[in-house]
């Protein structure tokens, strides 16, 4: 016999004294029949008593249903001798369940709990911290729900960080490994391709031994961090061009190289082609992303469910908010950390004269993968020590049974199912999930939100383009603003959950409203700096006779220019930006200090393609700080409103299905959101960004690389409006899920939100 080790004598006494709701005649018949069965089998012996008690619980658990759609099929007890056959009572009881409330009677409730044998040895094994047979008492000080939430959150934080740094490293990786936006999209996609299969295959198995699955997933995350970090061991990096700013009699490096002139032309081919030789290491990043998708699935599936077992609903809303605060802070922290690491040279020991402002500079991008890997490795060992079921879970189980959220038989089945039983239950569980209309509206709404959130990987790049920020600076700007928004929104969401035990239907409405209200704030990027006018791209060169703009014209066609590296210059007379001093047709230049070759270029002279004949290093235009602050304020407000509904959103997922199906619901959510959301997101937004490119990098072998210059107006229109449309569509699905959720009666609301009597989750059993 499988024993349920989740109740103690104090709890049994409390449940035994609970006020039972009035029973129908069918319920009384079942109660009398169950009591008679126990009395008759008691004479057989102690073991038979225990078997009969469990059988009675299971049988009545099947009959004590209101509108629960997804209780698993339980054993047919017709082969048990001397048990009266009472099918009519079962049918009458199902019909008599008013508004779907689970009917608690002496057989299915307090008396059945009292009849379950308490096995202290098994109880200690599943409720104490440790590993295998090692369960020292000093670990019990950590055996608290909040301790698990903190360590689980830290593991999630650094998992998010290992993925989030890519958004800041994007330009550095494109330059170092010769990647275009589609290839960086493949890196982002690997996580979702492997994750969608892992979530679908592992979801049902994660319902048992949840803590072991969580720890195993974290160990896989460690491997996913080490794979891309290894690329730095094999990569080549550009050497310092010591003569880059050394003048000669006719020119400065990068100026127009006409005929017999001795001025410096483009960088040497071997120097520029290091990125082409590094391109094969791109597959290490893809492999790491694939492993990350597998490792991230079990914690995402089993983690919230494990927490739901040790917190009441009010407490769960606060706990999940704390978890989300720790987890989502991972993205802004990853942006801050990545920005700081890019200010360190890739080898951590830069050559003399190598500074972040030089075109040959490559930041220490690999730190963004190695550091999270080390931290997750340590945390995974700690998480592995937590018990299968915490001591606090017993009190929570009592509350759930009282409210009708679960039954004793259902919990027994969930805790003690074998792998064979889990496999056998896969198809019935899948049918229950697919028939749940409210759940699927929620899932497909999430898919559209995840499709929109996929743009976040390109957000730092958008701020660089729209507000002319540096790559290290953008990390600080986005990181700080997102931390503020995440924390304020999640704290507000936790406070909402603490007001009362909201019915799931109301929680779904709260989240739908939060998503809809936050949608207009996606337009915050429209408050951008004015676009630069790029000569040869937006306008023809001043002295050109051509009708269409082109980088190469009669004024520079003999200068041997290329687009392997940008070196933007500005003509202050008309505010036009040029891709480089070579494209501007400049023949010479002046240094800031003629006696110091390393002092930098003051201006380039004799420029044949410009109006003023003289240009200065850098792009034209100002930083427009005021618009940046307005955009950030709107973004923070919208993100705060959106995240205020996340605690309600997480709670609905734990209540919209039966207890035994919670991990499968989470797995189904991960599968759908990956297939329709995060999987196509990099392709969609990568296409939008690439489609707005006006100047591509062309390597010396003639192959196209990454983009250097974008049409900002076209880019922002598509980038922003696609996000707004996706969020409106997702909010409509959330409202549909709310509408389809069975309407609770006033009595049911009082039972649920007032904490009295029994109340169902609002669904009919099928």
């Amino acid at each position: 016999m499988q024993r349920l080790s989740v109740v103690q004598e104090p709890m049994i006494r409390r449940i035994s004294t609970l006020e039972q709701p009035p029973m129908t005649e069918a319920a009384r018949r079942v109660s009398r029949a169950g009591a008679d069965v126990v009395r008759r089998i008691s004479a057989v012996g102690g073991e038979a008593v225990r078997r009969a008690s469990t059988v009675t619980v299971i049988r009545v658990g099947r009959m004590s249903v209101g509108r629960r759609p997804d209780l698993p099929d339980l054993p047919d007890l017709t082969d048990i001798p001397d048990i009266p056959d009472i099918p009519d009572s079962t049918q009458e009881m199902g019909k008599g369940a008013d508004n779907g409330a689970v009917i608690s009677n002496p057989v299915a409730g307090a008396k059945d709990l009292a009849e379950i044998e308490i096995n202290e040895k098994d109880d200690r094994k599943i409720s104490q911290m440790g590993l295998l047979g090692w369960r020292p008492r000093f670990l019990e000080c950590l055996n608290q729900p909040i301790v698990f939430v903190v360590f689980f959150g830290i593991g999630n934080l650094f998992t998010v960080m290992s993925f989030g740094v890519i958004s800041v490293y994007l330009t550095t990786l494109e330059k170092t490994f010769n990647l275009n936006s589609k290839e960086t999209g493949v890196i982002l996609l690997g996580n979702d391709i492997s994750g969608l299969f892992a979530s679908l295959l592992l979801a049902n198995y994660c319902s048992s031994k949840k803590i072991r699955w969580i720890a195993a997933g974290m160990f896989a995350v460690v491997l996913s961090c080490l794979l891309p970090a290894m690329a730095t061991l094999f990569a080549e990096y550009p050497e310092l061009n010591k003569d880059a700013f050394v003048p000669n009699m006719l020119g400065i490096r990068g100026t127009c190289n006409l005929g017999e002139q001795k001025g410096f032309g483009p960088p040497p081919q071997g120097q520029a082609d290091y990125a082409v030789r590094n391109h094969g290491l791109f597959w290490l990043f893809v492999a790491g992303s694939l492993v990350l998708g597998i490792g991230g699935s079990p914690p995402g599936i089993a983690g919230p469910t494990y927490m739901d077992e040790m917190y009441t609903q009010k407490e769960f809303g606060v706990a999940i908010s704390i978890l989300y605060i720790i987890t989502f802070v991972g993205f802004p922290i990853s942006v801050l950390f990545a920005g700081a690491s890019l200010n360190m040279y890739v080898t951590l020991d830069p050559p003399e004269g190598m500074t972040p402002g030089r075109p040959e500079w490559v930041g220490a991008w690999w730190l963004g993968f190695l550091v999270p890997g080390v931290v997750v490795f340590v945390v995974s060992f700690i998480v592995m020590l937590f018990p299968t079921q915490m001591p606090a879970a017993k009190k929570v189980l009592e509350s759930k049974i009282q409210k009708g959220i679960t039954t004793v038989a259902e919990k027994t089945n969930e805790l003690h199912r074998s792998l064979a039983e889990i496999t056998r239950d896969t198809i019935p569980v899948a049918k229950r999930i697919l028939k749940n209309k409210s759940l699927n509206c929620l899932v497909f709404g999430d898919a559209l939100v995840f499709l929109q959130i996929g743009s976040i990987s390109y957000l730092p790049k958008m701020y660089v383009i729209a507000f002319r920020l540096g790559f290290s600076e953008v990390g600080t700007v986005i990181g700080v603003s997102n931390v503020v928004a995440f924390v304020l929104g999640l704290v507000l969401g936790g406070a909402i959950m603490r007001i009362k035990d909201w019915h799931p239907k109301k929680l779904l409405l709260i989240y739908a409203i939060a998503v809809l209200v936050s949608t207009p704030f996606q337009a915050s990027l429209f408050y951008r700096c004015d676009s630069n006018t790029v000569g040869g791209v937006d306008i023809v060169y001043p002295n050109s006779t051509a009708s269409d703009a082109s980088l190469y014209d009669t004024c520079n066609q003999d200068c041997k220019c290329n687009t392997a590296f940008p070196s933007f210059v500005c003509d202050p007379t008309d505010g036009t930006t040029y891709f480089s001093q070579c494209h501007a047709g400049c023949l010479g230049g002046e240094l800031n200090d003629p006696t110091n070759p390393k002092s930098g270029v003051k201006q380039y002279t004799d420029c044949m393609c410009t109006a003023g004949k003289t240009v200065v290093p850098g792009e034209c235009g100002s930083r427009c700080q005021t618009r940046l602050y307005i955009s950030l304020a709107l973004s923070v407000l919208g993100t705060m409103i959106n995240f205020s509904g996340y605690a309600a959103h997480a709670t609905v997922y734990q209540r919209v299905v039966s207890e035994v199906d919670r991990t499968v619901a989470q797995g189904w959510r991960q599968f759908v959101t990956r297939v329709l959301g995060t999987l196509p997101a990099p392709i969609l937004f990568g296409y939008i960004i690439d489609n707005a490119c006006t100047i591509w990098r062309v390597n010396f072998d003639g192959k196209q690389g990454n983009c250097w210059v974008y049409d900002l107006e076209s880019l922002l229109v598509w980038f922003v409006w696609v996000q707004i449309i996706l969020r409106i569509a997702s909010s409509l699905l959330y409202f549909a899920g709310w509408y389809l959720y069975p309407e609770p009666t006033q009595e049911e609301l009082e039972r649920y939100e007032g904490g009295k009597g029994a109340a169902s989750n609002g669904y009919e059993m099928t």
Side-chain angles (χ1 to χ4, degrees):
M1 182 194 71
Q2 293 177 330
R3 298 176 176 87
L4 180 64
S5 302
V6 293
V7 286
Q8 298 286 3
E9 292 299 334
M11 189 187 80
I12 296 173
R13 287 193 295 271
R14 289 195 299 271
I15 296 181
S16 300
T17 59
L18 291 177
E19 179 182 354
Q20 303 298 323
M23 291 189 293
T24 63
E25 179 59 30
R28 293 190 183 94
R29 292 172 61 192
V30 173
S31 177
R32 289 193 297 270
D36 182 62
V37 169
V38 173
R39 286 193 300 271
R40 291 165 62 186
I41 299 181
S42 295
V44 177
E47 181 63 24
V49 171
R50 290 191 292 271
R51 290 185 57 204
S53 299
T54 304
V55 165
T56 304
V57 170
I58 295 175
R59 185 177 181 97
V60 178
R62 297 180 61 186
M63 294 182 289
S64 300
V65 295
R67 294 183 298 182
R68 292 288 296 277
D70 33 23
L71 285 175
D73 294 334
L74 294 172
D76 187 3
L77 306 183
T78 57
D79 59 338
I80 302 296
D82 298 327
I83 294 182
D85 187 15
I86 47 173
D88 294 336
S89 300
T90 304
Q91 295 174 2
E92 292 176 20
M93 193 170 187
K95 294 177 182 178
D98 186 25
N99 298 306
V102 175
I103 299 177
S104 296
N105 56 63
V107 180
K111 290 186 178 179
D112 285 321
L113 285 175
E115 291 169 353
I116 296 176
E117 178 184 350
I118 306 300
N119 189 308
E120 296 295 341
K121 182 178 179 180
D122 289 345
D123 184 63
R124 180 177 183 273
K125 183 177 180 181
I126 70 170
S127 299
Q128 288 192 342
M129 290 188 66
L131 186 62
L132 300 178
W134 181 69
R135 299 182 182 276
R137 292 189 178 276
F138 70 85
L139 287 178
E140 289 308 299
C141 62
L142 299 178
N143 199 4
Q144 303 293 330
I146 189 62
V147 177
F148 169 80
V149 171
V150 170
F151 279 108
F152 184 49
I154 292 173
N156 286 349
L157 185 154
F158 282 92
T159 300
V160 170
M161 181 177 171
S162 68
F163 185 74
V165 292
I166 297 178
S167 63
V168 181
Y169 291 154
L170 210 56
T171 302
T172 298
L173 296 178
E174 287 175 348
K175 180 179 71 172
T176 305
F177 297 95
N178 192 34
L179 309 177
N180 56 40
S181 293
K182 292 184 178 65
E183 289 173 321
T184 56
V186 170
I187 295 175
L188 300 174
L189 286 177
N191 166 51
D192 298 301
I193 292 174
S194 60
L196 68 90
F197 290 108
S199 60
L200 201 61
L201 295 174
L202 299 178
N204 201 21
Y205 295 95
C206 286
S207 62
S208 180
K209 310 297 182 185
K210 299 180 184 67
I211 201 66
R212 301 295 178 256
W213 283 105
I214 294 171
M218 287 185 172
F219 280 117
V221 170
V222 174
L223 178 60
S224 75
C225 294
L226 296 180
L227 286 171
M230 287 171 56
T232 193
L233 300 176
F234 308 101
E236 297 181 34
Y237 297 105
E239 299 177 359
L240 178 66
N241 285 327
K242 296 182 179 179
D243 60 347
F245 298 113
V246 177
N248 71 353
M249 56 185 299
L250 293 174
I252 295 178
R253 171 169 292 282
T255 57
C256 181
N257 185 9
L258 291 175
E260 298 297 326
Q261 291 183 345
K262 304 299 182 183
F264 295 96
Q269 180 171 342
Q271 177 78 345
D273 283 352
Y274 76 93
V276 177
R277 293 190 293 272
N278 287 341
H279 188 267
L281 297 173
F282 152 74
W283 293 105
L284 280 176
F285 292 89
V286 175
S289 184
L290 289 171
V291 177
L292 178 62
I294 297 173
S297 294
I301 293 171
T305 306
Y306 185 72
M307 289 176 57
D308 183 54
E309 293 173 353
M310 55 190 177
Y311 284 109
T312 62
Q313 181 165 302
K314 279 186 178 181
E315 296 168 338
F316 179 77
V318 177
I320 204 71
S321 295
I322 295 173
L323 176 67
Y324 281 159
I325 288 174
I326 299 173
T327 300
F328 288 122
V329 164
F331 177 73
I333 287 181
S334 68
V335 174
L336 292 170
F337 182 86
S341 65
L342 289 180
N343 283 325
M344 295 184 283
Y345 190 59
V346 66
T347 64
L348 302 182
D349 185 20
E352 183 180 356
M354 182 73 80
T355 60
R358 295 188 64 92
E360 305 95 338
W361 178 272
V362 177
W365 56 267
W366 52 273
L367 285 174
F369 299 102
L370 182 61
V371 171
V374 172
V375 176
V376 175
F377 181 73
V378 174
V379 171
S380 60
F381 271 107
I382 299 175
V383 169
M384 188 168 55
L385 298 176
F386 280 94
T388 301
Q389 181 174 284
M390 284 195 173
K394 299 170 186 178
K395 177 182 178 182
V396 176
L397 177 61
E398 174 189 344
S399 175
K400 287 183 176 180
I401 293 174
Q402 181 180 357
K403 288 180 177 294
I405 295 174
T406 189
T407 65
V408 175
E410 187 177 26
K411 198 64 183 178
T412 305
N413 183 53
E414 180 186 12
L415 286 176
H416 298 291
R417 287 191 302 169
S418 65
L419 290 178
E421 291 172 329
I422 293 174
T423 303
R424 187 177 62 247
D425 290 343
T426 299
I427 294 179
V429 171
K431 289 181 179 179
R432 293 196 296 270
I433 293 296
L434 294 176
K435 289 181 179 179
N436 193 318
K437 296 178 181 179
S438 291
L439 170 66
N440 283 286
C441 285
L442 191 60
V443 166
F444 284 94
D446 285 353
L448 295 181
V449 168
F450 273 76
L451 182 58
Q452 178 263 321
I453 291 177
S455 65
I456 201 169
S457 297
Y458 299 97
L459 192 59
K461 188 172 186 174
M462 297 301 298
Y463 271 85
V464 169
I465 298 170
F467 298 100
R468 305 190 185 102
L469 300 175
F471 290 110
S472 58
E473 186 180 13
V474 73
T476 303
V477 170
I478 296 181
V480 172
S481 61
N482 280 339
V483 166
V484 173
F486 290 160
V487 172
L488 290 178
L490 291 170
V491 168
L492 177 60
I496 293 173
M497 293 295 297
R498 286 290 293 174
I499 295 176
K500 63 178 179 178
D501 274 337
W502 299 92
H503 191 275
K505 185 177 178 72
K506 292 184 178 180
L507 291 176
L508 187 49
L509 179 62
I510 289 173
Y511 184 64
I513 293 173
V515 172
L516 184 62
V517 173
S518 65
T519 297
F521 295 94
Q522 301 299 316
S524 61
L525 274 176
F526 283 140
Y527 288 91
R528 56 174 176 81
C529 297
D530 293 330
S531 302
N532 279 336
T533 300
V534 181
V537 177
D538 300 313
I539 60 172
V540 297
Y541 292 124
N543 300 324
S544 174
T545 58
S547 58
D548 297 323
S550 174
L551 275 180
Y552 302 100
D553 209 328
T554 55
C555 61
N556 63 15
Q557 64 183 1
D558 297 324
C559 290
K560 302 180 181 178
C561 304
N562 65 79
T563 58
F565 291 98
S567 179
F568 296 109
V569 293
C570 174
D571 183 354
T573 59
D574 61 0
T576 300
T577 297
Y578 295 86
F579 186 76
S580 72
Q581 57 271 28
C582 181
H583 290 83
C586 301
L587 300 176
E590 301 175 4
L591 298 177
N592 290 314
D593 182 0
T595 63
N596 181 9
K598 298 181 180 180
S599 62
V601 176
K602 178 180 180 181
Q603 62 181 13
Y604 297 96
T605 57
D606 301 320
C607 302
M608 297 179 289
C609 298
T610 67
K613 304 301 180 183
T614 300
V615 296
V616 296
E619 297 183 65
C620 299
S622 60
R623 290 286 298 276
C624 65
Q625 293 284 5
T626 301
R627 295 188 184 184
L628 173 62
Y629 295 146
I630 293 175
S631 177
L632 287 174
L634 292 174
S635 177
V636 167
L637 184 57
T639 304
M640 183 188 73
I641 294 172
N642 182 57
F643 273 77
S644 67
Y646 265 49
H649 173 267
T651 305
V652 171
Y653 265 107
Q654 303 301 321
R655 298 291 174 266
V656 75
V657 294
S658 66
E659 291 273 299
V660 75
D661 291 345
R662 290 172 302 165
T663 58
V664 181
Q666 292 289 343
W668 174 238
R669 172 179 179 260
Q670 286 198 15
F671 177 80
V672 174
T673 54
R674 280 178 163 133
V675 171
L676 301 180
T678 54
L679 191 62
I683 298 176
L684 172 63
F685 289 100
Y687 174 79
I688 290 174
I689 292 174
D690 282 352
N691 199 48
C693 183
T694 55
I695 300 180
W696 287 95
R697 172 180 181 167
V698 178
N699 299 308
F700 287 101
D701 59 3
K703 293 182 179 179
Q704 180 177 289
N706 56 290
C707 182
W708 291 126
V709 179
Y710 295 91
D711 179 352
L712 184 57
E713 187 70 30
S714 173
L715 176 59
L716 288 181
V717 167
W718 282 99
F719 190 81
V720 171
W721 276 107
V722 167
Q723 293 187 67
I724 291 176
I725 292 171
L726 289 173
R727 290 188 68 85
I728 291 175
S730 65
S731 64
L732 292 177
L733 281 171
Y734 293 139
F735 279 112
W738 164 76
Y739 177 78
L740 293 172
Y741 205 110
E743 190 72 33
T745 64
Q746 184 62 35
E747 180 182 1
E748 187 177 351
L749 284 176
E750 290 176 357
R751 288 176 178 175
Y752 198 100
E753 299 179 352
K756 297 179 180 179
S760 72
N761 64 355
Y763 284 97
E764 279 196 41
M765 184 175 182
T766 57

